Amino acid sequence: MHILVVEDEHRMATALRRGLEADGHTVDTAHNGPEGLALAERHPYDVVVLDIMLPGLNGYRVCARLRAGGCRAGILMLTAKDGEWDEAEALDTGADDYLAKPFSFVVLLARLRALHRRIDRQRPRLHTLGDLVLDANARTCTRAGTPTHLTAREFAILEHLAARAGTVVSKREILDHVWDADHDADPSIVEVHVHALRRKIDAPFGRAALQTMRGAGYRLDPAGG
């Protein structure tokens, strides 16, 4: 998962980030409401772990603004408060789950996995573009029935383009989606991965599904090229 942790206690945020990264996730952190809101609006996170008591903008208001803006990420609220009214307000503002501090990290992981499964089921997982088929559940890619091996990064890029087939996606958006927010990768790294994708899904089959739109980004042909 690509996870955003919005927590004003720096030690807690650092501990959560390390633990989640050790579990295999990509994690960004923010330490106040406005910063967390800006990151969540800019990046397509799978899950946002959101503290309620935040400086600048509390978690309730951050959650409400994200939902009003169409954010579909799973939102789990963390708070030192404990009580049914706080839980009810969190859920009423658009949160999907609620966990009171102190909490078990093992329970947090289980809650995040369950939340991600629920959110993930709502997303289209099979992308069919002509004879190019991308199955996000099985993590497989086939062209004309022929299996094509993709690296994890290549698969993530292709899945993002497939989800937006027919529209132009910029290098910056691909970087923000596939790499974490703290990345210092040069945008040219996207070109390297796209070139590798073309060698695998287009060139051997005489197709041109993955198109470069000069100065704008890349477009995946909905017809499969």
Side-chain angles (χ1 to χ4, degrees):
M1 288 181 278
H2 192 182
I3 300 172
L4 172 64
V5 174
V6 189
E7 166 62 66
D8 64 323
E9 296 179 19
H10 285 248
R11 290 180 64 182
M12 169 70 78
T14 299
L16 286 174
R17 178 171 189 161
R18 289 174 177 170
L20 292 168
E21 287 179 339
D23 198 54
H25 307 292
T26 300
V27 185
D28 299 325
T29 55
H31 302 295
N32 59 63
E35 181 187 6
L37 178 63
L39 279 172
E41 288 178 332
R42 193 161 62 244
H43 303 284
Y45 294 104
D46 295 304
V47 176
V48 177
V49 178
L50 180 63
D51 189 28
I52 290 178
M53 303 302 290
L54 292 168
L57 200 65
N58 69 39
Y60 298 130
R61 294 176 65 190
V62 171
C63 182
R65 290 193 187 185
L66 288 175
R67 292 310 191 209
C71 176
R72 299 179 64 184
I75 298 178
L76 184 147
M77 282 195 170
L78 295 179
T79 179
K81 292 183 176 183
D82 190 12
E84 59 184 17
W85 292 108
D86 300 312
E87 181 175 356
E89 187 171 357
L91 297 174
D92 285 343
T93 55
D96 299 286
D97 203 354
Y98 175 99
L99 195 59
K101 301 174 184 176
F103 55 85
S104 160
F105 185 71
V106 173
V107 172
L108 173 65
L109 284 177
R111 293 280 191 94
L112 292 178
R113 287 194 297 269
L115 178 55
H116 187 239
R117 285 195 298 272
R118 293 202 302 271
I119 299 300
D120 213 38
R121 281 196 292 269
Q122 300 172 10
R123 299 174 180 171
R125 308 303 291 163
L126 185 68
H127 303 280
T128 303
L129 305 97
D131 62 0
L132 176 64
V133 179
L134 195 69
D135 187 332
N137 287 324
R139 309 297 290 178
T140 59
C141 175
T142 61
R143 167 70 93 176
T146 303
T148 302
H149 172 73
L150 303 178
T151 66
R153 194 82 75 183
E154 290 166 356
F155 194 95
I157 292 171
L158 186 59
E159 183 183 11
H160 187 56
L161 291 171
R164 301 190 56 191
T167 63
V168 179
V169 182
S170 69
K171 290 180 185 178
R172 175 54 54 187
E173 182 178 336
I174 293 173
L175 279 172
D176 289 343
H177 180 80
V178 178
W179 283 260
D180 63 49
D182 294 330
H183 69 78
D184 57 0
D186 188 287
S188 62
I189 192 67
V190 177
E191 297 176 22
V192 174
H193 285 82
V194 168
H195 183 65
L197 275 170
R198 283 201 183 100
R199 291 201 312 267
K200 294 180 178 182
I201 68 168
D202 279 346
F205 304 92
R207 309 294 173 79
L210 191 44
Q211 304 163 356
T212 298
M213 314 303 289
R214 293 196 177 279
Y218 301 98
R219 176 184 179 273
L220 192 61
D221 184 358

